[in-house]
Amino acid sequence: MIDERAVEIWNDELEELFLRTGHRFGRVEPRRRMRDYIRGLLGPVGRKNGWQLAEYAGHRTPDRLQRLLNGARWDADEIRDDLQHHVAERLGEPDGILILDDTGFLKKGTTSAGVQRQYSGTAGRTENCQIGVFAAYATTRGRALVDRELYLPKSWTEDRDRCQAAHIPNERAFATKPDLAKTMVLRAIASPLPIAWVTADSAYGQEWRLRRMLEEAGLGYVLAVPKSQQVPHFGRIDHLFSQAPDEAWERRSCGDGAKGPRVYHWAALQITSVEDFDGEMPTHQRWALARRSVNKPEEIAYYLAYAPLGTTVEYLVRVAGMRWAIEEAFQAAKNECGLDQYEVRRYTGWMRHITLIRD
């Protein structure tokens, strides 16, 4: 049975978002089409393509919705900023966690902005696809995607004619995925989102420039790293933990999953002190952590962490476990809102569709 009160609350929340973002559209027409588009993405539409969304909105053709994405005058970054304000109000907590990750969008052809044959973690193999880098915000009150960037391989950024045809801005030069993540972290720091921690998988955690930037910003982190990661004074991180005695491993939950608590064996070690002082007292400490499967002890994941003094291992484990929140956000956005069902090829259209999905 549908809870009518829950539906009423949901509609009120959606109307509040429309009111918050409506002024970003200078004319009534794109403002109405934005509402139609979002209601279609959230509605019972089998596949969120142009024709089906148009039919759900009562349009004869998808032309007006396509114009919203490709031709109308509005700034997707301004909508992103509005969303971050909304998330800060609804979910914000002082110990908020920013989560960084990317996801792939399988595509045919060669004209969609950023598309090429490249490895997609979503597919688990090399495919013809686009890659989006995302930031999510998570607290005990919930989680939400709050920022996005389209990864542009060198095959694109070194071909300006190709970029121009896909409406990629002239200022977009090549940037690695960790570079894009750093840009989003800096935007998040400047936003109203209260952030104390950052977490990400090893594709981002192994980037020392990202770790250093977070330390300089005073943000704690728990970042996955590859087993070959070098730890100062200790060597490879997997060799470090291979010497850990049995009593160093403790059974801990890093949060609840679809099947209940995610329980692993964890080991942790404080490593080189950090030259980060408040007066004469150090304020932070670096850590190395390892997470070992209970049933398959040969499966071990590794982390580097940076935390205020007094932070417990239990808390570091909790932060590490929050990384799954962005995977859940991707799954929900794809299954329920058509995150990967867009029919746009230009850079502007991609940014707008992805932004409205998050709205």
Side-chain angles (χ1 to χ4, degrees):
M1 179 181 294
I2 297 177
D3 186 333
E4 293 184 2
R5 177 56 181 161
V7 172
E8 182 180 343
I9 293 174
W10 183 86
N11 279 322
D12 289 345
E13 287 277 338
L14 192 57
E15 283 300 320
E16 182 178 337
L17 268 175
F18 288 154
L19 289 173
R20 182 186 291 268
T21 58
H23 71 287
R24 301 299 187 183
F25 301 84
R27 297 173 53 248
V28 172
E29 170 70 14
R31 192 179 307 136
R32 289 175 176 169
R33 299 297 80 81
M34 177 270 289
R35 288 173 172 248
D36 291 342
Y37 195 74
I38 292 178
R39 287 195 177 279
L41 293 173
L42 295 173
V45 179
R47 182 164 180 81
K48 319 287 185 172
N49 59 35
W51 279 101
Q52 292 195 33
L53 289 173
E55 182 180 0
Y56 183 79
H59 301 178
R60 291 173 53 195
T61 72
D63 293 351
R64 285 182 286 182
L65 297 183
Q66 286 295 323
R67 189 160 55 250
L68 171 73
L69 299 180
N70 294 312
R73 295 184 61 181
W74 59 280
D75 190 332
D77 288 347
E78 293 178 344
I79 302 294
R80 175 204 61 209
D81 295 344
D82 291 337
L83 173 66
Q84 291 181 350
H85 277 78
H86 183 76
V87 171
E89 293 171 3
R90 290 293 185 271
L91 306 182
E93 291 180 345
D95 59 350
I97 301 172
L98 194 72
I99 312 163
L100 307 171
D101 202 358
D102 54 75
T103 189
F105 305 91
L106 300 182
K107 290 293 168 184
K108 297 179 180 179
T110 60
T111 58
S112 296
V115 71
Q116 75 166 22
R117 284 190 60 79
Q118 53 193 325
Y119 180 78
S120 167
T122 308
R125 58 185 182 275
T126 297
E127 289 282 358
N128 200 61
C129 65
Q130 296 168 299
I131 301 292
V133 181
F134 290 80
Y137 181 76
T139 68
T140 59
R141 299 166 67 184
R143 46 93 175 136
L145 297 172
V146 294
D147 207 346
R148 72 289 176 259
E149 287 288 350
L150 178 62
Y151 172 66
L152 299 175
K154 289 183 178 179
S155 63
W156 278 84
T157 57
E158 294 177 354
D159 187 340
R160 300 318 301 181
D161 290 339
R162 194 182 188 195
C163 286
Q164 185 176 12
H167 290 208
I168 295 171
N170 290 332
E171 61 269 20
R172 273 300 307 268
F174 175 73
T176 65
K177 299 181 188 75
D179 286 338
L180 297 176
K182 285 189 288 184
T183 297
M184 291 190 289
V185 170
L186 292 174
R187 285 201 292 254
I189 292 172
S191 79
L193 294 167
I195 299 167
W197 296 91
V198 175
T199 187
D201 68 16
S202 60
Y204 301 91
Q206 67 183 333
E207 175 54 63
W208 70 268
R209 294 178 184 85
L210 173 61
R211 299 197 305 271
R212 186 57 185 161
M213 186 192 79
L214 296 174
E215 292 178 6
E216 291 175 348
L219 292 177
Y221 62 71
V222 182
L223 299 169
V225 293
K227 64 181 182 181
S228 59
Q229 178 70 45
Q230 294 291 317
V231 178
H233 309 301
F234 291 101
R236 284 173 55 124
I237 196 169
D238 60 341
H239 294 169
L240 168 62
F241 282 102
S242 68
Q243 304 170 37
D246 289 342
E247 57 268 24
W249 297 90
E250 297 184 3
R251 189 182 177 98
R252 299 179 184 273
S253 169
C254 56
D256 291 338
K259 299 180 180 179
R262 295 186 174 103
V263 177
Y264 296 89
H265 287 140
W266 291 81
L269 175 71
Q270 291 188 359
I271 54 178
T272 52
S273 60
V274 179
E275 298 300 323
D276 186 359
F277 299 91
D278 180 6
E280 296 182 355
M281 296 296 294
T283 60
H284 287 75
Q285 177 71 49
R286 292 194 183 108
W287 293 76
L289 294 89
R291 186 199 74 202
R292 188 176 70 188
S293 170
V294 173
N295 298 321
K296 299 179 180 179
E298 70 279 5
E299 295 183 0
I300 305 176
Y302 303 96
Y303 301 82
L304 291 179
Y306 173 80
L309 291 179
T311 303
T312 64
V313 174
E314 182 179 11
Y315 197 89
L316 295 176
V317 167
R318 172 184 171 270
V319 174
M322 289 297 284
R323 192 180 71 80
W324 277 291
I326 197 168
E327 299 289 350
E328 294 166 350
F330 287 152
Q331 183 176 4
K334 289 182 177 181
N335 291 346
E336 300 171 19
C337 303
L339 180 70
D340 56 349
Q341 296 176 20
Y342 52 87
E343 295 178 322
V344 293
R345 293 190 174 92
R346 295 173 178 174
Y347 175 88
T348 303
W350 188 91
M351 294 291 284
R352 289 178 170 185
H353 169 80
I354 298 299
T355 301
L356 293 178
I357 284 282
R358 293 162 42 257
D359 199 348

